Amino acid sequence: MALDSETVRRIAHLARVRVPEEELELLAGELSNILGWVEQLGEVDTETVPPMTSVVAVRLPMRDDRVDDGDAPDAILANAPDGAPGFFAVPKVVE
Amino acid sequence: MAGLTDLTLADCRAGLAAGDFTAEELTRAHLDALEETRPLNAFVTETPERALEMARASDARRANGQAGLLEGLPVAVKDLFCTEGVQTTAGSRILGGFAPPYESTVTAKLWAEGAVMLGKTNMDEFAMGSSNITSHYGRVENPWRAAGSNRALAPGGSSGGSAAAVAARAAPAATGTDTGGSIRQPAAFCGIVGMKPTYGRCSRWGIVAFASSLDQAGPITRTVRDSAILLRAMAGHDPKDSTSVPRDVPDYEAALTGDIRGLRIGIPAEYTMDGMPEAIVGLWERGKDWLKAAGAEIVDLSLPHTKYALPAYYIVAPAEASSNLARYDGVRFGLREAGDGTDLTEMYEATRGAGFGAEVRRRILIGTYVLSAGYYDAYYIKAQRVRSLIARDFREAFETVDAILTPTTPTAAFPLGEKMDDPIAMYLNDVFTVPASMAGLPAISVPAGLDGDGLPLGLHLIADAFEEETLFRVAGVLEEAAGFTARPGMAG
């Protein structure tokens, strides 16, 4: 599967990663190479094979639905690049 | 104090117990070595004050008759483990300055057993790499040099800072994480022991996530015994990681009986690669002979889907990474770039465009693509089906053998800067380590010899799920037979 620059631009937007215009073509080439290489998986007959859903055979445990941590707004906000007291601040999203 | 940095964890433990030296003296010796080996760039953050404080507290506990499993033992921590109040970068610009308000479960267990933190080790950005060149905080150098050359070599990756620090005697042991070989490949390149436990053996809570179905923490040490000592303290069930298994942690050291008589060791035909250096082929042969001489039976076997493990990995791992790394949005922690300031999407794109390096960006894009509408079944589900077949190959093999022996890497350490233009050539470094990762199995790399240039090479053992004791037992015999005593040129 060969990707063109337009597809890379679209994926980059989906991933919310800015890619400079002049790098789109190089990336399209690199990603096409990688996807071309993984295409060899097509040689494997997996018709009757279920996809792996759990690496180790364990049942996901249930736990009690109760609060066991929290009430630490200052610690949670301490690393925020921008914040008003008690809040994370983001650019305006509602006009 | 000369000589303290050459001691293994087991030696340090014995010396501290006998009162030959204090934890503070031991820590100071390693802090000095850390300074001497600073040109390797093995650490992103050194924590000398905290180390001395922890060492003095350890000496005080010992004086009161209390001693944990790792009492007073200095340990370096890969910068992927969150450490409360100490910058945790994952090798990325996007996490520069991030000081976690909590401690990862694995490191919390180390400190609870009395260990002393020397600092946070450098690594490939978000653990994506096999060279330690992708770190935003600069490349790490391997303390080894090829004979007659002063060219800097890659320490391997992604736990390259941990491996370089332990090989250079700046730390007797370090934590690492392994997603497709990130403990075992750098251990092989640096001539030390690197062990990846069964998926679920160690809690992933508080470890910056790369690929959640593959990531696993493990020990990086200079001996198999030290690996067993450190794993015992790191492992165990944690209610905060639902994939960590509720099983008791055995005393892995007790498994080092030296007796492997009657064990069956499998040699998979598919691990013979065209163009593999003669030194590696020869070492693998010697490995078989050593185990046979110790009373094991060598059994040829086939793992037919081996060649598909790496391409399947390069779908599964980037897919999971693209999802995990969505959290770096410039809002709650880390870097924020406003872009042209127009709106939230602009801020996300500018932040992530500036914060991620080339390899991380590549993998996020691949992952986003293979998970996108119309491609999910063709790529992601296909890869997970192939993964089931890889796991089945191993399951069938372990019906007849107790462990599998392979080389760890297809080459010795390569010069820094090579293979950078070709992502796939770099990915091939992990061709022997990725299959066990895909199946969630425990595996270990043991330094077993030098190539013609005097560079270390590792042998790799894989065991069945939760058979870490078998793995350590065989690894101990391999280590003893190999008698690897070579030291890197640059060591503190």
Side-chain angles (χ1 to χ4, degrees):
Chain A
M1 170 68 79
L3 300 190
D4 55 21
S5 298
E6 198 38 55
T7 311
V8 175
R9 194 200 317 272
R10 188 175 57 80
I11 306 166
H13 179 63
L14 281 175
R16 300 290 187 269
V17 179
R18 171 134 316 144
V19 175
E21 201 61 31
E22 64 274 16
E23 290 176 36
L24 285 172
E25 191 142 332
L26 176 76
L27 260 173
E30 283 177 354
L31 301 187
S32 297
N33 278 344
I34 295 169
L35 289 169
W37 172 68
V38 302
E39 224 127 84
Q40 57 180 298
L41 295 182
E43 297 163 14
V44 187
D45 179 4
T46 54
E47 199 64 33
T48 58
V49 184
M52 182 184 274
T53 49
S54 177
V55 191
V56 166
V58 285
R59 286 174 66 97
L60 276 184
M62 302 293 278
R63 61 168 174 79
D64 293 336
D65 187 14
R66 60 178 175 82
V67 176
D68 59 4
D69 198 0
D71 203 18
D74 293 343
I76 288 165
L77 290 164
N79 280 288
D82 188 11
F87 296 94
F88 293 112
V90 294
K92 196 165 158 187
V93 285
V94 183
E95 288 304 326
Chain B
M1 271 210 163
L4 286 183
T5 56
D6 262 327
L7 300 181
T8 64
L9 274 188
D11 294 338
C12 293
R13 184 179 60 183
L16 286 165
D20 297 342
F21 43 82
T22 64
E24 188 176 347
E25 286 165 340
L26 185 63
T27 296
R28 278 190 195 282
H30 283 95
L31 291 174
D32 289 346
L34 199 147
E35 227 176 284
E36 258 175 69
T37 56
R38 212 173 265 158
L40 297 175
N41 199 29
F43 286 80
V44 174
T45 306
E46 299 173 4
T47 54
E49 279 132 43
R50 179 177 290 228
L52 288 170
E53 197 181 299
M54 290 173 93
R56 283 191 285 262
S58 170
D59 285 329
R61 280 194 299 273
R62 193 180 291 278
N64 280 329
Q66 298 167 295
L69 288 173
L70 304 176
E71 196 60 60
L73 302 178
V75 175
V77 174
K78 186 179 185 180
D79 208 17
L80 200 63
F81 292 81
C82 285
T83 41
E84 190 173 353
V86 176
Q87 172 180 253
T88 300
T89 68
S92 182
R93 182 176 176 216
I94 212 161
L95 273 177
F98 171 62
Y102 54 86
E103 187 79 24
S104 82
T105 297
V106 163
T107 49
K109 287 165 80 78
L110 300 183
W111 317 143
E113 293 293 349
V116 169
M117 178 165 79
L118 294 170
K120 306 291 295 288
T121 57
N122 206 342
M123 52 178 287
D124 279 302
E125 185 179 6
F126 284 108
M128 298 178 194
S130 309
S131 63
N132 240 282
I133 295 169
T134 73
S135 170
H136 177 68
Y137 303 92
R139 64 190 204 174
V140 177
E141 276 186 26
N142 193 321
W144 292 81
R145 291 283 183 278
S149 164
N150 201 30
R151 195 162 174 202
L153 303 174
S158 67
S159 310
S162 287
V166 172
R169 273 69 179 166
T175 65
T177 63
D178 191 310
T179 302
S182 280
I183 287 175
R184 294 162 285 159
Q185 184 254 13
F189 276 17
C190 292
I192 55 174
V193 176
M195 195 267 180
K196 181 197 93 75
T198 310
Y199 182 81
R201 189 69 280 196
C202 294
S203 169
R204 290 181 294 110
W205 194 82
I207 300 174
V208 176
F210 161 15
S212 302
S213 76
L214 293 154
D215 297 344
Q216 188 59 204
I220 293 179
T221 58
R222 291 195 293 268
T223 68
V224 172
R225 179 171 300 275
D226 287 1
S227 189
I229 293 172
L230 194 55
L231 180 63
R232 184 180 176 191
M234 293 171 72
H237 178 242
D238 175 12
K240 288 188 287 209
D241 172 4
S242 61
T243 63
S244 86
V245 292
R247 277 182 184 237
D248 290 339
V249 179
D251 176 1
Y252 294 117
E253 237 184 315
L256 300 175
T257 59
D259 184 2
I260 59 163
R261 283 173 301 173
L263 286 190
R264 293 164 61 87
I265 309 296
I267 308 296
E270 291 79 6
Y271 282 63
T272 298
M273 278 181 39
D274 289 343
M276 198 149 75
E278 196 45 50
I280 291 179
V281 177
L283 186 71
W284 195 12
E285 283 304 317
R286 279 200 296 287
K288 294 176 208 174
D289 291 343
W290 290 330
L291 295 179
K292 202 148 101 187
E297 189 188 339
I298 302 297
V299 182
D300 288 322
L301 57 81
S302 172
L303 299 167
H305 297 91
T306 297
K307 72 174 273 209
Y308 301 108
L310 203 56
Y313 174 87
Y314 275 98
I315 292 174
V316 173
E320 295 183 10
S322 73
S323 169
N324 273 325
L325 272 57
R327 74 191 65 180
Y328 303 102
D329 58 5
V331 174
R332 292 154 300 159
F333 37 71
L335 183 76
R336 169 182 287 195
E337 295 281 338
D340 63 16
T342 47
D343 62 8
L344 190 61
T345 302
E346 170 69 20
M347 190 273 280
Y348 289 153
E349 293 188 348
T351 297
R352 292 162 61 80
F356 294 133
E359 179 62 24
V360 171
R361 181 177 72 177
R362 200 180 285 137
R363 295 204 200 183
I364 288 175
L365 294 180
I366 286 278
T368 304
Y369 183 72
V370 301
L371 292 178
S372 64
Y375 297 104
Y376 179 78
D377 285 341
Y379 287 106
Y380 188 70
I381 294 296
K382 177 77 185 183
Q384 290 287 38
R385 288 184 201 275
V386 171
R387 196 173 173 189
S388 291
L389 290 172
I390 293 161
R392 191 173 76 189
D393 285 354
F394 278 114
R395 208 159 47 239
E396 288 172 359
F398 286 120
E399 282 168 16
T400 57
V401 300
D402 299 288
I404 291 170
L405 176 73
T406 79
T408 310
T409 55
T411 68
F414 49 83
L416 274 168
E418 276 188 13
K419 306 190 196 220
M420 284 310 284
D421 308 334
D422 183 356
I424 295 171
M426 186 66 86
Y427 298 169
L428 285 171
N429 266 289
D430 294 331
V431 66
F432 298 143
T433 51
V434 153
S437 298
M438 291 296 270
L441 301 173
I444 190 167
S445 178
V446 178
L450 299 174
D451 72 0
D453 293 323
L455 294 177
L457 297 171
L459 284 173
H460 183 226
L461 290 160
I462 307 166
D464 204 357
F466 302 105
E467 293 295 332
E468 278 86 359
E469 288 163 284
T470 307
L471 192 69
F472 280 128
R473 179 173 303 135
V474 180
V477 169
L478 204 56
E479 176 184 50
E480 175 89 22
F484 186 91
T485 53
R487 299 170 50 107
M490 187 172 204

